[in-house]
Structures are given as C-alpha cells and as structure tokens.
Amino acid sequence: MLEDWEDRAARGLAFLRRRLNGEYEVDEFGFDPDLNDSVLMNVLRPLYEKYFRVQVSGIENVPAVGGALIVANHSGTVPVDALMTQVALLDHHPARRHLRMLAADLVFTLPFIGELSRKMGHTLACNPDAERLLRGGEVVAVFPEGFKGVGKPFSQRYRLQRFGRGGFVSAALRTGVPIIPVSIVGAEEIYPKIADLKPLARLLGLPYFPLTPTFPLLGPLGLLPLPTKWHIAFGEPIPTSGYDASAADDPMLVFDLTDQVRETIQDTLYRLLLQRRSVFF
C-alpha cells in the first residue's frame, strides 16, 4: 500500500514537472495526451472499474496501428458511454490506443466542458475533421444516433434510432479504414428518462431536459447515475480498403454499409441482453 502511494506521488510530481517545464505537446485539435492520460483518465477510471464494473470483449478487433472508425450505440441521458469507451480502449487494448471522439457542436459551446473535451481528444462531428484524424492513423469514434439516441425515453431502451445519412461510412470509404461496430449494454439504465421537460429545454438551449425517477426530485443527489453493470463489445471489423475512394459518393453503397453497421450493433445488443443476468450484476 505504501509503495502504491509512493508510486502515485512520484508520477504526480513527474507530471507537474513536465507541465512547469512545458514538456508536453498539444495537437492541432487541442488534444493533450499527457493531461488526458495522467489526470483525466484517472478521474474516470474508478467510475469505469468500481462503479460500472465494465466488462470488455472483442477489443482485439481494434487494430494496433493505423486508422479505424468505431461506431457505437448512444444512450443514457448523459453521454457517459462515450467516456467509458475511451477508458476501455486506453486501458485494455494492448497498444493502449487513444480514442478520438466526434462530438456535437453543443459540446464545444459549453463553458469548461468544451475546452475539457478538446483536451481529451474530442473534436467536432464533421467529415473533414474525421478524415484528417483517420488519415493520421487515429482511432475515431462516432455515435450516429446523436442526441436522439442519448436522450431517448427509457421505454425505447436498446432500440437504435436513425443513423443519419451515413456520413461516417463516407469518411471510412475515403480513408480506407475498417469500421468497427461497438455495442454498449448498461448505459441505458444509468439515468432512466421518463419524461422530457421541453419548455425548460428550449429555455436553456438544450436538446432535452430529462425527468428521471431521481431527478429533479432528489435535487443534486438525483444527478448520481445508477450503478449498472456494463458490457462493451467490439465487433468484427467491416473492411473498406477494397473500395475506391470514389465509392464514398455512391449513395446506395453508403446506405447498405450504414444499414449493415446498424444491424450488427442492434443484433449484438439483443444477444448481450439475453446473456445478462441482471441490470446491476
């Protein structure tokens, strides 16, 4: 125990020394790997390991080098699922890969949250940014359901919403990277959304304002997520390297691949739900 604390203290001091000496790099998107790995992931790790007790499978399907596009279902009222997937890839992939998240415009307009998201490696959900990251050999994550997925009512849990027009497929086709379908079970139940206070959401400029069994009834205590048991399953890659870059402009191909990814995620969700013993264990 003492050695563990001494090791943490040594790593903390080393981090502070690097910051004071300017011995760290920030990329063109604002990503600060040193801050992310040394501080931000350490904040999320107890939530990942102790609270949600995340189980991971198929992570070997993510390549050790080169670009890849992760496509996952989105849920939970608050997008904690994206952060837990980021921890999974850094902690459990043999190559300790960073996950570069594509986030909605709203994220980067929020005070503090926007800047923090940049530091964590997130960037705007647009094809030019996605393609630059993929060509640079990064693992990029997209959640095509967007706010319709993360903010859907509890009665629709684990039913995928529309995947948009398949912009993520176009990005993969133009860069020739594999698409990896990811299915996340457990996030749907952390904040069961039973109603949407739309007038308040419009007043605050939010896509929705959730009413859950504990929020706002229990005040700040209602902000605590339920301690559900999670499973993040990384599916087999769908290759795109066999297509010419011009294939990205073929609407039928883009539609077919988008549908294939969506069906793969949905089928895996159903399979994982059948295997689940309990929401909490």
Side-chain angles (χ1 to χ4, degrees):
M1 181 65 73
L2 180 60
E3 290 181 357
D4 185 44
W5 278 105
E6 288 176 346
D7 182 55
R8 290 185 186 180
R11 282 188 275 118
L13 288 171
F15 170 75
L16 289 174
R17 184 171 59 251
R18 290 194 300 273
R19 306 309 286 191
L20 291 171
N21 294 336
E23 297 173 357
Y24 62 94
E25 294 182 359
V26 177
D27 75 7
E28 61 179 309
F29 296 94
F31 179 40
D32 187 338
D34 188 38
L35 179 67
N36 182 72
D37 297 2
S38 301
V39 178
L40 303 178
M41 290 297 103
N42 285 336
V43 173
L44 294 173
R45 201 163 277 123
L47 194 64
Y48 178 96
E49 295 177 349
K50 306 297 184 183
Y51 199 78
F52 295 133
R53 296 146 294 144
V54 181
Q55 176 185 350
V56 175
S57 61
I59 202 163
E60 67 279 0
N61 288 320
V62 180
V65 294
L69 182 65
I70 283 178
V71 183
N73 59 304
H74 214 13
S75 64
T77 305
V78 177
V80 180
D81 50 3
L83 300 176
M84 294 301 101
T85 306
Q86 189 170 2
V87 177
L89 204 63
L90 182 65
D91 284 6
H92 295 283
H93 195 280
R96 288 182 57 82
R97 301 214 64 180
H98 290 115
L99 188 59
R100 309 299 298 271
M101 221 80 64
L102 300 181
D105 300 19
L106 176 64
V107 172
F108 302 106
T109 64
L110 297 173
F112 180 70
I113 297 296
E115 181 63 23
L116 190 63
S117 295
R118 290 285 186 189
K119 297 290 186 185
M120 296 180 74
H122 308 171
T123 191
L124 197 62
C126 64
N127 270 30
D129 279 8
E131 290 172 24
R132 274 198 296 164
L133 285 166
L134 291 169
R135 287 194 179 97
E138 300 285 355
V139 180
V140 176
V142 62
F143 297 81
E145 294 173 280
F147 289 121
K148 290 182 179 179
V150 74
K152 66 179 176 285
F154 189 64
S155 61
Q156 295 181 22
R157 60 193 180 278
Y158 298 113
R159 296 184 209 164
L160 293 185
Q161 306 299 297
R162 285 186 66 251
F163 264 28
R165 299 177 181 177
F168 67 92
V169 168
S170 298
L173 287 168
R174 286 195 178 94
T175 55
V177 303
I179 300 172
I180 301 168
V182 173
S183 304
I184 305 171
V185 165
E188 294 275 13
E189 296 92 357
I190 63 173
Y191 293 110
K193 181 187 166 193
I194 56 178
D196 184 0
L197 305 180
K198 293 182 179 178
L200 187 53
R202 284 194 294 269
L203 181 65
L204 298 174
L206 299 173
Y208 54 85
F209 192 93
L211 180 67
T212 76
T214 59
F215 180 82
L217 183 63
L218 299 183
L221 189 61
L223 296 174
L224 190 68
L226 296 177
T228 58
K229 178 74 170 66
W230 286 37
H231 188 156
I232 301 178
F234 293 81
E236 292 187 8
I238 298 172
T240 66
S241 57
Y243 297 98
D244 187 85
S246 62
D249 299 317
D250 182 343
M252 287 307 299
L253 175 62
V254 170
F255 176 83
D256 288 343
L257 285 175
T258 301
D259 200 46
Q260 179 184 352
V261 174
R262 188 181 183 279
E263 286 187 4
T264 299
I265 295 172
Q266 185 69 82
D267 290 346
T268 304
L269 286 174
Y270 287 148
R271 177 174 56 81
L272 293 176
L273 288 169
L274 287 172
Q275 296 172 356
R276 184 166 69 166
R277 294 181 301 162
S278 161
V279 172
F280 300 102
F281 303 102

